[in-house]
């Protein structure tokens, strides 16, 4: 599912590491271990990037993350594992790029609709994490 999610994200114009292979170990037909191999992706986990950022930069990263999630939802992607540690933040001369990793429980919906139970659950999981960094932005 993670491999499929990365392919979908890349095919729909979202930043994500390119998936290369999936290795599975099964016992009596049951999956006991799975490993995904991807190309390297620049940047660092969003929680680490936010911790290291200056207050003004932190606000810009939070805004970029929210816009990324809005675009994901508008495209029909519901993550169901939307944590800061699963978002990568890269920075270059054009600004911040947000990428998504670790989406094994994702679901796809018809594009355009942004307010359904799964989208609200994504926001409910992510917003408290972002709010913690916004509170620190004034420090």
């Amino acid at each position: 599912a993670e491999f499929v999610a990365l392919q979908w994200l890349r095919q729909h114009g979202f930043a994500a590491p390119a998936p290369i292979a999936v290795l599975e170990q099964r016992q009596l037909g049951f999956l006991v271990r799975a490993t995904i191999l991807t190309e390297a992706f620049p940047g660092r986990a969003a929680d680490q990037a936010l911790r290291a950022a200056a207050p003004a930069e932190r606000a810009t990263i939070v805004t970029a993350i929210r816009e990324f999630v809005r675009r994901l939802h508008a495209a029909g992607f519901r993550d169901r594992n939307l944590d800061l540690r699963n978002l990568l933040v890269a920075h270059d001369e054009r600004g911040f790029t947000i990428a998504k990793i670790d989406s094994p429980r994702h679901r796809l919906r018809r594009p355009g609709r942004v307010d359904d139970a799964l989208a609200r659950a994504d926001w409910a999981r992510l917003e408290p994490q972002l709010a913690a960094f916004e509170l620190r932005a004034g420090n």
Side-chain angles (χ1 to χ4, degrees), residues 45-124:
D47 56 345
Q48 296 172 4
L50 285 163
R51 253 186 243 107
E57 190 175 64
R58 199 175 299 147
T60 302
I61 295 169
V62 167
T63 298
I65 290 170
R66 284 192 176 115
E67 181 54 32
F68 177 82
V69 173
R70 283 186 199 97
R71 287 182 33 243
L72 272 181
H73 287 165
F77 192 91
R78 306 300 185 263
D79 190 70
R80 302 180 66 212
N81 192 28
L82 197 51
D83 292 310
L84 289 177
R85 69 178 183 270
N86 297 330
L87 295 170
L88 301 178
V89 178
H91 186 255
D92 62 21
E93 64 278 351
R94 295 171 301 196
F96 290 100
T97 298
I98 310 299
K100 182 67 182 88
I101 59 171
D102 197 16
S103 298
R105 300 178 337 125
H106 77 282
R107 296 290 180 263
L108 299 175
R109 298 291 183 253
R110 186 182 328 238
R113 186 170 177 203
V114 296
D115 186 25
D116 57 44
L118 291 177
R120 287 190 298 274
D122 277 353
W123 285 115

Side-chain angles (χ1 to χ4, degrees), residues 35-57:
T35 303
I36 186 166
L37 178 65
T38 67
E39 287 184 357
F41 192 88
R44 59 200 306 191
D47 56 345
Q48 296 172 4
L50 285 163
R51 253 186 243 107
E57 190 175 64

Side-chain angles (χ1 to χ4, degrees), residues 22-46:
V22 173
L23 308 169
E24 293 182 349
Q25 179 184 358
R26 293 184 178 266
Q27 198 168 41
L28 300 172
F30 294 99
L31 181 66
V32 293
R33 179 177 296 163
T35 303
I36 186 166
L37 178 65
T38 67
E39 287 184 357
F41 192 88
R44 59 200 306 191

